[in-house]
Amino acid sequence: MRLSPSQLTIREIIGQLMMPKLPDTIELLDASVWQRVVDDQSRFAFGGYIVFRGDRERTPPLLAELQDLSEMPLLFGADLERGAGQQFSGATEFPHVMALGAARDPDLAFQQGAITALEARRVGIHWVFAPVLDLASRPDNPIINVRGFGDSPRIVGTLGAAFVAGVQRYNGLACAKHFPGHGQTSTDSHEELPELIISRHKLETEDLLPFRQVIDTGLKSVMVGHLAVPALDETGLPATMSKRIVTDILREQLGFKGLIVTDALDMGAIVKRFEPGYAAVRALQAGCDVLLMPPDPEAVVEAVLRAIEEGGLTKQRLLESAERLDQARLDLGLWGGYEEPEAPAAAVWMDYQPAVEAISDGAVTLLDAREGLLPLGKAGSACMVMLDDDNDPILQQNFRQCVAQLEGVPQNLPFFVLEGDADESTVAELCAEATHHDVVIVAVFMAVRAWKNRVAPPPLLTALPGRLKAGGCQVIVVSFTSPFLGPLMAPWDAFICAYSGDSATQKSVLRSLWGLQPMSGRLPVAHSAAWAQV
């Protein structure tokens, strides 16, 4: 029997608007952890959970069991910018979406969205916290970078709309983020509150355009970012707590009717400045519907009740959000009566690797190369130097195997590794070895992630190409991460960007280096005069 939000108590309505983090699948297998989750659900009546890290076999029954314990169907969401495999092992993992920006193919963006939704729903996830519509327009932005399609509002909007169409075609709830645009900032909101210092005109003609375009195609949800935007609200409040940004601009100016969710409320941009209850009340007053990852649910409940008592919030305002949440449940078929669209993965897990490879193949971008250097094989002996900024032994092993085993790549290609914390003696020793070869391929792996707060390897490593060239080598730099590394690592004889370090992308790059496939990607950002001319 379907319950209406109006039948709930005020405490239950508040609970419905909170979406905490669910412990990892492995943790949930512990009886004491599971019981704590069950007790909290009974106590707070949460409307759903954000899920991190699991697998495609063990996660679904756990989510189904938790679903059965709730009177109102739970919405399960996850950060799936790179597909369901980003969080659930055994599912498909795609390259970072800047690879789609380089491939420039809306059909591939649609496929990624569709496959993400199909596999997410099989795991038990309804709400796909993707795509990122932030413009990747600042080289020093430590958190967007390759997570964004590029820096062109038109391209970001077109690819974002295609991704959303794919997600929502197969009954997923897509979520564009991080409104009104986190790209033109230089601070990671996981640590501090970024400030977007640009004019209202620039916002209207750049950052807001992708959101406007995607909203106009039927987007179901938006995530608001934790960033101060003085051009829109001079108070300095984060966008998540700003009525001028959430209600006046997103709701009224852009006409968005769907669900609005905050970015995680346990991030440094919020918790270093505001008490949990105060932040939640201000977000609801601003017009947000769902409070993601509140650090203290009890404090939220008490603060919201107090705000209602004092007149700062009304029960009707909370009901509006609860009803939007319930409409999403209805649209997703969680109340029953919904006919699932016909899908190729309706019965079994399928191999979607061809779609992944189509993106990685189409993304490889040649920025510049000395004439006659590529394809390799004509310029004398070559060696590979893997620059691993994150000191990841599994990644090192996988890349080493890829280089050694991929058909078309010379057998026994000399392979060296430099980790991010390498000292001068280690670098000098590697240079002495590498300069015995005519060509050195410097493969740069560096994850863009929260709390890292930098966009390039240490100076000792970014200087490596210059040292190798001084030793008489021709140097090819391959960035398996940001395209912004090009000027930082100059001089080189060729610079190639692939935007992602996954295994499919590794193979695409190696095949391209040895002329087995073209480098057809187009640079999705223009951050210097040199790059703009490409």
Side-chain angles (χ1 to χ4, degrees):
M1 175 177 140
R2 183 183 173 195
L3 289 175
S4 166
S6 61
Q7 295 174 271
L8 304 177
T9 68
I10 187 62
R11 282 183 172 269
E12 289 172 332
I13 292 171
I14 297 169
Q16 286 291 290
L17 305 185
M18 287 192 279
M19 194 171 191
K21 176 185 175 182
L22 192 68
D24 298 352
T25 295
I26 297 299
E27 295 178 76
L28 287 175
L29 295 173
D30 182 293
S32 63
V33 175
W34 177 258
Q35 190 58 51
R36 186 169 68 248
V37 170
V38 171
D39 291 345
D40 283 349
Q41 180 59 34
S42 175
R43 179 183 177 196
F44 292 107
F46 295 128
Y49 294 86
I50 182 171
V51 186
F52 294 92
R53 291 179 294 278
D55 61 65
R56 74 181 198 183
E57 304 300 335
R58 290 179 294 184
T59 301
L62 290 169
L63 299 187
E65 187 174 348
L66 191 55
Q67 191 76 264
D68 290 340
L69 297 174
S70 177
E71 284 190 289
M72 301 286 282
L74 297 169
L75 270 182
F76 292 112
D79 286 327
L80 304 181
E81 298 165 18
R82 291 179 281 117
Q86 179 178 342
Q87 302 293 348
F88 306 103
S89 61
T92 304
E93 184 169 1
F94 289 87
H96 283 290
V97 298
M98 191 173 278
L100 281 169
R104 303 280 174 93
D105 188 340
D107 288 340
L108 290 176
F110 178 90
Q111 288 182 49
Q112 180 170 333
I115 293 166
T116 298
L118 285 164
E119 294 192 335
R121 290 304 303 260
R122 286 187 59 77
V123 173
I125 301 297
H126 317 102
W127 203 345
V128 176
F129 292 136
V132 169
L133 295 187
D134 307 301
L135 303 181
S137 49
R138 279 193 66 150
D140 60 344
N141 187 311
I143 194 61
I144 301 304
N145 207 288
V146 293
R147 293 173 62 204
F149 293 104
D151 65 1
S152 161
R154 180 184 60 80
I155 292 172
V156 173
T158 298
L159 295 174
F163 183 99
V164 166
V167 170
Q168 296 184 172
R169 169 65 179 85
Y170 289 106
N171 202 22
L173 184 64
C175 184
K177 57 187 187 183
H178 306 80
F179 188 85
H182 202 326
Q184 300 196 60
T185 65
S186 58
T187 303
D188 179 3
S189 51
H190 293 84
E191 293 200 4
E192 298 288 348
L193 179 66
E195 194 169 16
L196 185 60
I197 306 297
I198 59 176
S199 69
R200 177 70 179 255
H201 175 75
K202 191 174 179 68
L203 273 163
E204 295 279 0
T205 56
E206 295 183 11
D207 296 70
L208 293 182
L209 281 185
F211 289 97
R212 185 188 298 276
Q213 182 174 347
V214 177
I215 286 169
D216 288 347
T217 63
L219 175 70
K220 297 292 184 68
S221 72
V222 169
M223 179 182 289
V224 182
H226 300 317
L227 57 154
V229 191
L232 302 180
D233 186 341
E234 70 277 6
T235 66
L237 281 171
T240 30
M241 298 163 61
S242 168
K243 186 175 184 293
R244 296 182 188 179
I245 294 174
V246 177
T247 296
D248 296 352
I249 295 177
L250 181 54
R251 284 275 183 230
E252 296 178 4
Q253 181 180 324
L254 300 188
F256 181 64
K257 306 299 183 186
L259 271 175
I260 299 175
V261 59
T262 69
D263 205 345
L265 291 172
D266 65 351
M267 291 164 62
I270 299 298
V271 297
K272 289 182 179 180
R273 292 169 176 257
F274 309 102
E275 293 296 324
Y278 176 84
V281 168
R282 290 303 299 254
L284 293 170
Q285 289 173 331
C288 295
D289 298 309
V290 178
L291 307 171
L292 185 64
M293 295 173 64
D296 187 344
E298 182 62 42
V300 171
V301 172
E302 295 307 317
V304 173
L305 288 173
R306 188 163 55 251
I308 292 174
E309 187 177 309
E310 295 172 354
L313 279 171
T314 65
K315 181 179 179 181
Q316 181 57 38
R317 163 68 194 88
L318 302 186
L319 270 174
E320 290 171 3
S321 290
E323 286 166 357
R324 287 192 192 99
L325 191 69
D326 205 47
Q327 184 61 50
R329 293 189 180 102
L330 198 61
D331 293 344
L332 291 164
L334 300 184
W335 278 119
Y338 180 90
E339 185 176 343
E340 288 279 353
E342 183 180 350
V348 296
W349 287 91
M350 293 182 65
D351 180 9
Y352 291 113
Q353 199 60 24
V356 177
E357 292 171 358
I359 294 171
S360 61
D361 287 348
V364 181
T365 307
L366 177 63
L367 275 301
D368 193 16
R370 178 173 294 178
E371 187 175 352
L373 179 58
L374 295 172
L376 290 173
K378 302 175 183 178
S381 65
C383 71
M384 178 73 69
V385 176
M386 179 183 187
L387 197 163
D388 177 18
D389 185 68
D390 297 294
N391 302 0
D392 184 342
I394 295 176
L395 177 65
Q396 293 171 22
Q397 179 183 0
N398 291 344
F399 186 51
R400 185 186 294 272
Q401 289 178 347
C402 184
V403 171
Q405 298 173 7
L406 188 65
E407 185 176 349
V409 176
Q411 297 296 304
N412 302 316
L413 186 74
F415 190 100
F416 306 96
V417 175
L418 265 185
E419 295 191 333
D421 56 1
D423 57 19
E424 168 59 31
S425 63
T426 303
V427 174
E429 183 179 348
L430 179 137
C431 287
E433 290 289 331
T435 50
H436 291 140
H437 301 274
D438 300 307
V439 178
V440 182
I441 307 160
V442 179
V444 185
F445 290 81
M446 179 179 175
V448 175
R449 61 167 182 259
W451 298 289
K452 191 166 187 176
N453 225 6
R454 58 187 176 86
V455 296
L460 186 62
L461 300 187
T462 56
L464 180 64
R467 293 178 67 164
L468 292 168
K469 280 184 65 63
C473 300
Q474 297 184 84
V475 179
I476 301 171
V477 175
V478 180
S479 175
F480 286 95
T481 177
S482 168
F484 300 123
L485 291 182
L488 294 177
M489 300 195 73
W492 29 253
D493 297 286
F495 186 86
I496 297 165
C497 194
Y499 315 99
S500 198
D502 59 287
S503 60
T505 300
Q506 294 171 19
K507 294 175 183 176
S508 296
V509 167
L510 291 170
R511 286 193 293 261
S512 297
L513 281 169
W514 271 271
L516 304 177
Q517 66 182 49
M519 300 188 204
S520 59
R522 287 177 285 172
L523 185 68
V525 296
H527 62 283
S528 72
W531 279 180
Q533 291 170 8
V534 174

